[in-house]
Structure formats: C-alpha cells, structure tokens
Amino acid sequence: MTRGVQRSRDRLPWRSRLHRLDLTVSPYLYISPFFLLFAVFGLFPLAYTAIISTTAWSPRKPGSADVSVGLDNYRTLLTDENFHNALINTLGIGLVSTVPQLLLALGIAHLLNYRLRGRLVLRMGVLVPYVTSVAAVALIFNQMFARDFGLLNWLLQPFVDSPVDWRADSWSSWIAVSVMVMWHWTGYNALIYLAAMQTIPYDLYESASIDGASKWQQFWHITVPSLRPTIIFTVIVSTIGALQLFAEPFLFDTTRNNNGGSERQFQTIVLYLYQQFWTNGRYGYGAAIAWTLFLITVIIAAINFVLTRRIRSSD
C-alpha cells in the first residue's frame, strides 16, 4: 500500500509536466502544417526567384544559370520602356476597373439589403459571374468587342461613323479589359458589402426616418460611414488584384505573342513578365520583374495597414 502511494506521487509530476507540455506545444503543432506548406510553396519560391533575378539565366544559353549579374536586371528594368508602359497600363486598367466596380457593388449591395421578394435568389445570382470561368467570359466578351461583327459596335452604329476597333487604342482596350474584370468581381464585392451592411444596427435607420432623413441621406450618412473599413479593405484588395491582372488581357490579345496588342496597348506587368519568362526565355529578367511587382504589392499592403490603423484610431 505504501509503495502504491509512493508510485502515484512519483507519477504525478511526470503527468503534470506532460500536461503543461501539451498545453504549450499543441497549439504550435496544430498550426504547423500551414507554416510548413507556406515555407515550401511560399517562402522557398520567393527566395529562389530572388536568386534567379541576379543571374542571366536563359534556356537558350547553356551554362547561363550560373552566371551572376548582380543587380543588373533591376537596373535594366528601371530604363525598360516596355516595363514602364506595362506599369502604366496596369495602373490605368486598375483605376478604370476598380472605381466603377466598387461603386456598382456598393449600389447592388444597398439594393439587396432591402426586403425584396426572392432576395436569396438575387443574392446568389450576383455570384454567378464570379464562379464562371475567366476563359469562358473572355471568349464571350471577345465576340462582343469584335470590330466587324461585335454586339457593341452594332449598338453604337447609329452614333459613330465607323466601327470601333477596341484593341487598337489604349483607352478603348483598357475599357474592354476593365468591363471583363468588372463583370467577374462586382458580385463578389457586393456580397462583402452586403455582409457588412447587415451588421449596421437597424435602429439608426429608424431614428433617421423619424427625423425625416431620405433614403439617400440614410445611405450617405449612415451606411457609407459604417462601411469605411470594409470599403478600404475592398479598395486595397481590388488594387492588389489589379496589379496581378493577367488572364483577361492575355485572352483579349489576339496577336498570340503576349504583346497585349500590336503596340502593347493593354500589356500588364504580369503579362510582360510572362512574355519575358516563357516567350523570350529570360528567366533572370523575368524573376526581377516578379520581385519588383512583389515590392509594389508590399507597398500597397503597407498603405492598407496605415489607413486601417488611422481609421480605427479615429473611431
């Protein structure tokens, strides 16, 4: 009996230590799969791309993978007119697509927030463009924006002297690509706004109605200020998405050489990266473009962080 009591006393500290170890280590073990996968598929490609960006690697030049050029690829990038053009195109398309897209999403969310008949179907319906394949969307919009037999030129026929060649000019091609982007992402952003709107206390609207505020005044003075963090979030996410724009201009380009039009009218940064990396076989230079784009994205994320902190502190 005495030995049994002594044995249980000896085991208690061991079990206690094991319990403490379990409490301390278990959370890290639970989240470790994510960080392991992130290290393999996120950090390693990032670091490997940084190494490649300092080489003159090209599959067309045997042995070039080991030739270090330091930061020459980045210096070349600073004076590369095609990169500057791609950056302007990216920012231009991003501006033309993001602003109307978010305003439209805000309006749709406001309408869907009313007590409408079949509102569940309507709310699910705005997600249809988002779940539709980008390739299918681009195929349809390519037909709509065709110069000779396109639907839009048929509609514009009474107002213009000659058919609009949507791919020939920067602004027209930006509008065409932006319409595809807007079609794809407006419903998604509308649902984000709608979710945020449903957290606004209904008492605020009732009080405003009693005070005689119109629907527009309620929307402008109650809904929009309450959605400020969400609006900033969608603006930043949409901006980052615009910086990574590839599929729409790639599929809109009928030249099939990844130029983004005969004069690179709608060639974005990622499309230019793709052209340099795969079409021209300039692995080192393509990696430098990828890292530059990554740094631009980090700057945008930093702006997001600063704006969010200021809004929270002001609230």
mmCIF file of all heavy atoms in Angstrom, residues 149 223 232:
data_model
loop_
_atom_site.group_PDB
_atom_site.id
_atom_site.type_symbol
_atom_site.label_atom_id
_atom_site.label_comp_id
_atom_site.label_asym_id
_atom_site.label_seq_id
_atom_site.Cartn_x
_atom_site.Cartn_y
_atom_site.Cartn_z
ATOM 1 N N PHE A 149 -18.072 42.421 -86.393
ATOM 2 C CA PHE A 149 -19.384 41.817 -86.136
ATOM 3 C C PHE A 149 -19.723 41.796 -84.642
ATOM 4 O O PHE A 149 -20.522 40.987 -84.202
ATOM 5 C CB PHE A 149 -19.413 40.386 -86.699
ATOM 6 C CG PHE A 149 -19.047 40.313 -88.152
ATOM 7 C CD1 PHE A 149 -17.792 39.868 -88.544
ATOM 8 C CD2 PHE A 149 -19.954 40.727 -89.107
ATOM 9 C CE1 PHE A 149 -17.454 39.817 -89.889
ATOM 10 C CE2 PHE A 149 -19.623 40.675 -90.456
ATOM 11 C CZ PHE A 149 -18.363 40.224 -90.851
ATOM 12 N N THR A 223 -24.938 54.467 -43.859
ATOM 13 C CA THR A 223 -24.371 53.252 -44.465
ATOM 14 C C THR A 223 -22.893 53.436 -44.835
ATOM 15 O O THR A 223 -22.047 52.632 -44.431
ATOM 16 C CB THR A 223 -25.175 52.863 -45.715
ATOM 17 O OG1 THR A 223 -26.549 52.736 -45.364
ATOM 18 C CG2 THR A 223 -24.679 51.549 -46.270
ATOM 19 N N ILE A 232 -12.378 50.328 -47.497
ATOM 20 C CA ILE A 232 -10.913 50.403 -47.643
ATOM 21 C C ILE A 232 -10.334 49.023 -47.912
ATOM 22 O O ILE A 232 -9.443 48.853 -48.757
ATOM 23 C CB ILE A 232 -10.301 51.038 -46.391
ATOM 24 C CG1 ILE A 232 -10.662 52.519 -46.351
ATOM 25 C CG2 ILE A 232 -8.788 50.864 -46.370
ATOM 26 C CD1 ILE A 232 -10.166 53.233 -45.143
#
